[in-house]
Amino acid sequence: MIFINEEKRIFNLRTENTEYVFGLDNENLIRHIYWGNKINNENDFEMDVLCEVSTNDPVYEITPEEYPVFGGLRYSENCLKVTFDDKTRDIVYKYDGYEVDGDLLVIKLKDVYYNFTINLNYKVMEKYDLIERYVTITNESDQSIVIEEIYSGQLHIPYENLIFRNTHGHWGAEQQMFKQNVSYGKITIENRKGVSGHNNNPYFILDKNATETSGEVFYGALRMSGNFKGVIEQTPYGETLVQMGINPYDFQFTLNPKESFTTPPLLCGYTDKGFEKMSHNLHNFAKENLLREGLRPVLYNSWEATEFNVTCEEQIKLAREAKKIGTELFVVDDGWFGQRNSIHNGLGDWYVNKEKFPKGLNPLIEEVKSLGMKFGIWVEPEMVNPLSKLYIDNPDWIYHFKTRERTTSRGQYVLNITKKEVKEFIYNMLDNLLSNYDIDYIKWDVNRPICEGGATNLGENERKMAFDHIQAVYDIVKELKKKHKNVLFEACASGGGRIDLGILGIFDDFWTSDNTDAYDRLFIQHTYSHIYPIKAMRAWVTDCPNFLSQRNIPLRFRFHSAMMGTLGIGGNILKWSNEDMKLAKDMVEEYKSIREIVQEGDFFRLENTSTNNYHLFEYTKDNEALLFAFLPQTQIGHRPVRVKLRNLDEKGMYEYKINGETMVKSGSYLMNYGVNIHLRGDYQSEIIRFDRR
Ligand code: DGJ
């Protein structure tokens, strides 16, 4: 709900449990007042008059502005920096009214001299305790304006000494959470590679010693892929600031007369109930607004089994085995097209390789379909190998600078898809593929960062290419989905390089990481779950020793770890023993019986109260709950852990099986006393199902 006190010039955005308040101050600045629990009395808020502490602490510096622009006596990070046609680089805005449209509040600002408007948009998502912030700038003048920096918003957190959380990591180790105490100075997270990246992720979590179930957490996630930046700063004036949005790194564009530009939205939330509530708010938003309905199929992917040595015969053999264990979707990965025998050739030449598929793809697809499975295929449309025919014929189709060598990475270049003809080529290639073959699933990969971002087609907006690049990817997929409505798209970037809220919804699944080691995955999946929904988290069971970690982990544990998300099998099942195939079949069957709870239920990271390194997770939906318990290595003997469940009906009675014994206990008992889990040995795991009687 949106409340406006016209007299006091105060705006109040109220969600189910929170309130976000700001107003217009005596300097005509849009000043932040409050972000926290719901107060329910909008008239209590006042706009104090701020006095300059000293000439060295000017009023602009101490004013918690909602959207500080570059100009005047402002020296902190700003959200918007422009150069007007006459070279003036200073913005002076005045308040120009507001508009309300349903749950959207628009605060209108206008430069006092230039015909340039800045609309601050606030969308209230009441049910999820979220507010979406984005900004629209419009050049109403007859001269062009150069935009050098534009963030989606600034947030004010009324504390010092907070704890900041985000991800570090690299390929094969995405989603590694780091915690950092915030003190004076700035923390910067960013990506400059064109894809969101394996390192930092476009979100912030700031807490005051919160736990999963208690404590204040301020958080936000950017709905954008690619080059983002976030700055977290504890100021000398008793608060912590966050700015997030498009990375100003190698970024600039010209806003021509009568043109507008809207930033990607930043979804922000507050809770005093810990990280669990934060995740539920974001998960529920994604599940109900971004993700396509329907349960995700159990897939088989051939990459780890065959790599580039794809043949029709071998794929058919794999498909038959995959069917035996209950797989519902068979995906042919890299290697089926062009002269794709290694990383050095093929990308760009999207014809079916005749040596590998002498009669085309149809014999494989027909076999897969006759087995009752769906069919999926891998593509990497944004890329081209220098040896490909596509590149030889169109050397100008890649990002490059005329006088510089073109740098390959993984043996490939990045296509300049901001060029109309390149974008059309990619759309047509995929449209043909989807029209000519019975394909249900596209795994869209990207395996190198962008560099040498020359794109002369963009003229004076060349430095906007990283932003335009990802918009072109979104456009292509959105357009394809209009025509090929039932096709699911997986966002992959050398594993989890494209996990962000910008791409989610346009794509349906994330490939979480190339690291399929079931133990490492527990950490990756744990961190992933802070922001992103379980339903989009693809996880495969692969062979041991794992190709990355060289670790040997029992198949049951590998299955249980992958069953935490949307299950896939990615090992060479032609080599699996009868015993392993039997176990795999049972596990897939079990997954199918619980996947509705896993994919669509509420997810909980449970507390481990023992000194043993148990990893404990719970899922609940309607009258059922699942407890996933993992013990990678036992420590100090075989000690049990008592684990308290979450989100059960206190008065309800739940039946569950533990150590072969059937038990019936009340929800209240299970949530307060808990369940004793006693796993013995290394790499032990259990999924316990609680059914309400
Ligand atoms: C990187 C992906 O993450 C892998 O799953 C696989 O598709 C390879 N690329 C294929 O080149």
Side-chain angles (χ1 to χ4, degrees):
M1 275 202 286
I2 300 169
F3 298 92
I4 297 161
N5 188 323
E6 301 271 0
E7 202 186 316
K8 291 185 177 172
R9 307 197 299 179
I10 289 179
F11 303 89
N12 189 312
L13 312 177
R14 193 175 292 164
T15 67
E16 209 163 284
N17 300 294
T18 72
E19 223 158 273
Y20 187 102
V21 185
F22 61 91
L24 196 59
D25 74 5
N26 54 309
E27 303 272 348
N28 277 325
L29 299 177
I30 305 294
R31 189 202 296 171
H32 182 77
I33 298 178
Y34 175 76
W35 189 20
N37 269 334
K38 184 156 81 173
I39 289 174
N40 258 341
N41 194 354
E42 57 278 11
N43 296 326
D44 283 349
F45 290 100
E46 303 290 344
M47 181 62 79
D48 303 330
V49 174
L50 290 182
C51 302
E52 205 163 82
V53 182
S54 81
T55 50
N56 290 302
D57 303 277
V59 81
Y60 281 113
E61 283 286 278
I62 58 175
T63 302
E65 273 187 279
E66 280 287 294
Y67 200 70
V69 292
F70 180 92
L73 286 160
R74 290 184 187 90
Y75 302 94
S76 307
E77 292 288 322
N78 50 71
C79 288
L80 181 64
K81 183 165 188 290
V82 310
T83 302
F84 294 101
D85 202 47
D86 60 7
K87 303 294 173 236
T88 299
R89 306 193 303 280
D90 184 270
I91 301 172
V92 181
Y93 70 74
K94 65 173 193 279
Y95 173 65
D96 195 29
Y98 70 86
E99 267 171 25
V100 176
D101 180 7
D103 52 13
L104 178 71
L105 168 67
V106 184
I107 302 295
K108 294 156 82 176
L109 310 178
K110 195 166 189 217
D111 191 274
V112 293
Y113 182 86
Y114 300 94
N115 231 339
F116 175 62
T117 65
I118 308 163
N119 283 359
L120 309 183
N121 303 289
Y122 297 82
K123 197 164 171 201
V124 183
M125 304 195 171
E126 202 167 334
K127 182 173 166 196
Y128 311 106
D129 282 336
L130 293 171
I131 288 165
E132 189 167 74
R133 291 193 57 182
Y134 56 98
V135 173
T136 303
I137 51 171
T138 306
N139 180 0
E140 311 270 15
S141 76
D142 295 326
Q143 284 81 37
S144 45
I145 302 170
V146 175
I147 315 298
E148 293 164 41
E149 208 169 290
I150 182 162
Y151 283 128
S152 300
Q154 168 162 285
L155 294 150
H156 297 266
I157 295 153
Y159 296 121
E160 296 179 329
N161 301 323
L162 291 164
I163 299 167
F164 172 68
R165 284 172 159 80
N166 197 262
T167 60
H168 66 98
H170 48 77
W171 172 78
E174 302 86 341
Q175 301 288 329
Q176 306 296 307
M177 174 144 289
F178 73 87
K179 279 205 269 183
Q180 192 166 333
N181 291 333
V182 183
S183 186
Y184 298 107
K186 291 174 191 170
I187 300 173
T188 300
I189 51 161
E190 64 171 340
N191 196 278
R192 299 177 170 198
K193 295 176 180 165
V195 292
S196 307
H198 302 79
N199 323 106
N200 296 151
N201 203 269
Y203 68 80
F204 70 88
I205 303 174
L206 284 158
D207 75 280
K208 254 193 107 44
N209 299 315
T211 67
E212 278 298 325
T213 52
S214 70
E216 290 185 275
V217 188
F218 298 82
Y219 57 94
L222 201 57
R223 295 185 59 189
M224 151 177 189
S225 317
N227 290 356
F228 72 91
K229 184 170 171 180
V231 181
I232 290 82
E233 179 182 8
Q234 179 172 306
T235 74
Y237 308 110
E239 64 163 355
T240 302
L241 296 180
V242 181
Q243 291 98 22
M244 270 202 127
I246 299 170
N247 198 337
Y249 164 80
D250 197 30
F251 172 81
Q252 180 174 300
F253 71 99
T254 299
L255 198 64
N256 290 317
K258 314 305 170 211
E259 270 181 5
S260 285
F261 178 80
T262 297
T263 67
L266 175 64
L267 261 189
C268 337
Y270 164 82
T271 178
D272 66 352
K273 301 204 165 35
F275 302 117
E276 181 183 289
K277 178 76 174 139
M278 165 193 81
S279 299
H280 287 175
N281 289 342
L282 289 167
H283 289 188
N284 290 340
F285 167 76
K287 281 191 284 191
E288 290 168 26
N289 298 277
L290 303 179
L291 289 177
R292 188 191 285 217
E293 281 185 3
L295 296 174
R296 298 290 181 265
V298 177
L299 68 71
Y300 177 82
N301 179 297
S302 63
W303 173 244
E304 285 197 26
T306 60
E307 298 212 342
F308 298 106
N309 299 326
V310 175
T311 62
C312 187
E313 220 176 302
E314 184 93 341
Q315 295 289 314
I316 286 178
K317 278 191 207 156
L318 284 165
R320 287 181 183 151
E321 289 304 290
K323 177 64 191 176
K324 284 186 195 158
I325 54 176
T327 300
E328 299 158 309
L329 162 68
F330 183 84
V331 184
V332 178
D333 210 279
D334 200 349
W336 60 270
F337 55 91
Q339 291 308 303
R340 188 69 170 168
N341 298 313
S342 72
I343 56 170
H344 297 291
N345 204 345
L347 293 174
D349 296 340
W350 296 105
Y351 59 86
V352 181
N353 182 300
K354 272 265 168 326
E355 284 100 68
K356 299 179 181 185
F357 293 88
K359 295 189 180 143
L361 281 179
N362 275 334
L364 171 61
I365 298 178
E366 280 157 18
E367 178 71 21
V368 167
K369 298 278 159 154
S370 75
L371 289 165
M373 290 190 286
K374 291 182 184 303
F375 180 75
I377 200 156
W378 179 97
V379 286
E380 193 175 357
E382 296 153 77
M383 302 290 161
V384 67
N385 288 116
L387 294 174
S388 68
K389 181 162 179 337
L390 184 78
Y391 181 73
I392 292 163
D393 291 349
N394 304 283
D396 284 343
W397 276 21
I398 66 163
Y399 296 113
H400 68 284
F401 293 116
K402 222 168 57 196
T403 57
R404 298 289 175 208
E405 289 252 332
R406 302 161 180 213
T407 309
T408 53
S409 172
R410 211 196 192 219
Q412 63 201 51
Y413 297 131
V414 186
L415 285 170
N416 175 358
I417 64 171
T418 69
K419 274 190 170 182
K420 196 167 166 282
E421 59 273 33
V422 182
K423 190 173 168 188
E424 271 170 15
F425 165 81
I426 293 175
Y427 173 82
N428 290 334
M429 177 278 279
L430 288 164
D431 180 36
N432 286 338
L433 198 62
L434 292 172
S435 306
N436 296 339
Y437 299 102
D438 191 1
I439 293 174
D440 308 283
Y441 192 88
I442 293 281
K443 175 175 173 183
W444 180 309
D445 203 350
V446 49
N447 281 301
R448 62 154 290 177
I450 298 176
C451 69
E452 291 131 18
T456 49
N457 58 303
L458 295 176
E460 55 199 358
N461 288 346
E462 199 170 352
R463 291 193 193 180
K464 192 160 154 273
M465 49 76 54
F467 182 80
D468 287 351
H469 181 96
I470 192 68
Q471 302 306 312
V473 172
Y474 293 171
D475 289 349
I476 294 169
V477 177
K478 280 188 199 161
E479 214 41 46
L480 286 168
K481 278 189 160 178
K482 279 188 203 156
K483 192 163 166 197
H484 307 279
K485 291 197 172 47
N486 297 323
V487 178
L488 288 171
F489 283 77
E490 176 179 324
C492 169
S494 294
R498 252 187 191 164
I499 296 179
D500 59 67
L501 278 189
I503 214 153
L504 193 66
I506 298 169
F507 286 67
D508 306 284
D509 279 358
F510 291 129
W511 178 221
T512 319
S513 176
D514 277 347
N515 186 347
T516 50
D517 175 284
Y519 172 65
D520 285 356
R521 269 299 181 103
L522 294 180
F523 297 90
I524 293 173
Q525 294 172 176
H526 184 125
T527 304
Y528 166 100
S529 75
H530 277 96
I531 306 292
Y532 303 108
I534 299 298
K535 192 173 183 174
M537 184 175 82
R538 271 279 163 207
W540 303 346
V541 176
T542 56
D543 294 329
C544 274
N546 182 274
F547 84 103
L548 271 177
S549 66
Q550 296 303 312
R551 210 179 266 131
N552 278 302
I553 293 182
L555 189 58
R556 192 161 178 276
F557 188 102
R558 278 183 268 154
F559 260 100
H560 284 166
S561 171
M563 284 159 77
M564 279 186 61
T566 54
L567 178 64
I569 288 96
N572 190 351
I573 45 179
L574 295 175
K575 293 192 175 155
W576 285 16
S577 66
N578 290 341
E579 203 186 326
D580 283 352
M581 289 296 279
K582 163 85 179 65
L583 180 62
K585 186 171 181 285
D586 292 347
M587 292 274 110
V588 171
E589 203 171 294
E590 184 179 349
Y591 180 73
K592 287 179 186 167
S593 76
I594 59 171
R595 78 171 136 189
E596 194 176 335
I597 315 172
V598 171
Q599 295 183 11
E600 298 193 337
D602 294 325
F603 176 73
F604 301 83
R605 296 169 292 264
L606 299 179
E607 201 191 347
N608 176 2
T609 51
S610 83
T611 52
N612 265 342
N613 62 351
Y614 280 95
H615 296 244
L616 302 156
F617 307 98
E618 184 189 346
Y619 301 73
T620 64
K621 186 166 193 298
D622 305 326
N623 290 323
E624 285 172 295
L626 301 167
L627 171 63
F628 281 60
F630 298 92
L631 180 65
Q633 278 158 339
T634 199
Q635 289 166 276
I636 335 170
H638 297 285
R639 289 173 55 173
V641 60
R642 174 129 62 92
V643 48
K644 296 178 186 182
L645 296 188
R646 304 277 301 152
N647 202 34
L648 303 183
D649 175 6
E650 275 187 26
K651 296 202 176 91
M653 298 304 290
Y654 291 85
E655 185 175 309
Y656 59 101
K657 247 195 199 145
I658 196 158
N659 301 327
E661 210 184 324
T662 302
M663 315 278 277
V664 180
K665 299 282 178 200
S666 68
S668 180
Y669 176 89
L670 293 169
M671 289 192 291
N672 290 293
Y673 174 84
V675 200
N676 283 311
I677 304 289
H678 198 170
L679 300 177
R680 292 173 177 82
D682 290 348
Y683 295 117
Q684 296 303 305
S685 56
E686 212 57 73
I687 299 176
I688 303 171
R689 189 174 179 150
F690 298 79
D691 288 309
R692 192 163 160 195
R693 294 173 80 194

